[in-house]
Amino acid sequence: MASELKRQFDTDGFCVIENVIPADKIDDVRKQVVQVQSEHAADSEEEMKKTRSRGHRIGNKGVGNLRQVINHTQSFAPYLADRRIMDLAEDLFGSYVRISCTDCVINYPGNDRGYWHADWPFNQTNASHVVAPYPDVTMHLSTIWMLTSFTAENGGTLAIPGSHRSARNPSGGDMEEVDRDAPYPTEMHVTGPAGSVFVGDSRLWHSVATNLSDAPRVAMIVRYAPWWLNLNPTMIGTPEHTQMVVETGGKNYEMELIRPDVYEKLPDNVKPLYRYCVG
Ligand SMILES: O=C(O)CCC(=O)C(=O)O
């Protein structure tokens, strides 16, 4: 099983791992995430204005967001170090893996389709990004946690299998042959039952799909990074973030530190993943 996931990941640039959040826990996790998002999203927007940051998902009408959702609910924490995810991460990065993003996203019915992009540090619209052409190396893992089932109808993420091997991506709008806003011939929806986790190479071209159902599609975005990837430009308050994002008036993927009281209560196998960003 583990090697089959790795084979899919290597070939397609992603795989889907089922039952990461057990069936008897998924409803509670989803309810808690939806609740804290509705309670704290406005504060988070205010904070973004104060730090003069423009965030990452602005422009996607109909998508609610809350960054570092783990500061508000830890209901999903027991599953963050799932052995199948960690095996993939450690196979690629070795020891000392870090979690570099724990956000939630809620795609409401009728939300806008997004543009083709790869995730930080490959999204060319971000103030800090790896300049194309990229070497063929997995530098970051993007995972999307399905807190409701993902289907084609409710906007399961659109992905282009194999695109992770490309030395560039269309996010900057400068690839003559690819329109970042248009359907792509080999695009597909990533689907899976609630509790599944999509694990992708952050270079994979993907996009937010429109939710055509009548219920919100709820998910978490969790990223896993090797110790050697410099995350400082994404961390509000660091000199690199100030220099590269605030002073340029740019936008970036951004994260907040984990509160010490939250960190202390995390499961022992999850603490090492956040140890670098407690404050
Ligand atoms: O919510 C989705 O389906 C995709 C999210 C996404 O594109 C991202 O977080 O970069």
Side-chain angles (χ1 to χ4, degrees):
M1 179 59 183
S3 59
E4 174 56 15
L5 291 173
K6 184 69 170 55
R7 189 196 60 72
Q8 286 171 19
F9 179 88
D10 285 342
T11 308
D12 295 334
F14 69 91
C15 59
V16 174
I17 307 180
E18 293 192 5
N19 293 312
V20 175
I21 302 181
D24 61 338
K25 297 285 192 293
I26 188 71
D27 286 348
D28 184 49
V29 171
R30 182 179 58 254
K31 276 185 203 142
Q32 297 216 33
V33 166
V34 168
Q35 185 178 333
V36 297
Q37 197 277 338
S38 72
E39 286 169 1
H40 296 282
D43 305 344
S44 176
E45 297 266 308
E46 268 312 298
E47 197 50 40
M48 275 164 55
K49 278 187 206 142
K50 270 194 250 155
T51 56
R52 291 197 287 138
S53 92
R54 292 199 291 128
H56 163 59
R57 296 198 173 82
I58 285 188
N60 242 349
K61 208 159 89 316
V63 177
N65 176 32
L66 179 64
R67 65 184 175 204
Q68 213 58 300
V69 63
I70 194 163
N71 272 336
H72 306 288
T73 169
Q74 297 79 48
S75 51
F76 51 82
Y79 317 111
L80 288 169
D82 178 275
R83 200 57 253 164
R84 293 160 295 173
I85 299 177
M86 293 309 296
D87 279 349
L88 273 170
E90 288 170 359
D91 193 58
L92 292 158
F93 304 146
S95 304
Y96 308 113
V97 170
R98 299 166 169 191
I99 289 186
S100 54
C101 168
T102 322
D103 291 359
C104 80
V105 283
I106 303 182
N107 294 9
Y108 293 100
N111 68 287
D112 279 353
R113 179 180 165 130
Y115 61 90
W116 291 117
H117 66 281
D119 282 340
W120 191 90
F122 300 101
N123 186 331
Q124 302 292 303
T125 67
N126 280 333
S128 62
H129 63 260
V130 179
V131 175
Y134 321 125
D136 186 9
V137 177
T138 304
M139 297 188 204
H140 207 190
L141 284 181
S142 297
T143 73
I144 304 184
W145 292 51
M146 306 179 194
L147 302 190
T148 45
S149 297
F150 274 28
T151 63
E153 193 199 9
N154 76 1
T157 310
L158 286 165
I160 303 176
S163 54
H164 63 304
R165 298 256 181 236
S166 176
R168 53 192 74 240
N169 67 67
S171 55
D174 55 355
M175 278 181 80
E176 266 174 34
E177 63 281 25
V178 184
D179 176 353
R180 70 176 197 165
D181 295 310
Y184 191 85
T186 57
E187 73 182 33
M188 57 165 285
H189 289 276
V190 176
T191 59
S196 306
V197 174
F198 155 93
V199 183
D201 185 314
S202 295
R203 292 174 297 169
L204 187 80
W205 302 10
H206 62 285
S207 145
V208 172
T210 302
N211 180 353
L212 299 172
S213 78
D214 54 12
R217 195 219 67 180
V218 185
M220 289 191 319
I221 310 289
V222 182
R223 300 200 189 127
Y224 296 78
W227 61 265
W228 45 260
L229 185 64
N230 180 9
L231 300 171
N232 289 347
T234 72
M235 293 170 75
I236 296 166
T238 64
E240 279 126 306
H241 178 267
T242 304
Q243 182 177 14
M244 298 168 79
V245 184
V246 178
E247 289 174 8
T248 61
K251 79 169 185 78
N252 215 42
Y253 164 65
E254 291 171 327
M255 68 176 290
E256 290 157 21
L257 300 178
I258 299 282
R259 288 207 324 267
D261 59 309
V262 169
Y263 176 77
E264 279 315 316
K265 288 193 215 118
L266 291 177
D268 283 348
N269 64 344
V270 172
K271 277 188 177 154
L273 301 169
Y274 287 106
R275 185 172 165 180
Y276 78 103
C277 66
V278 183

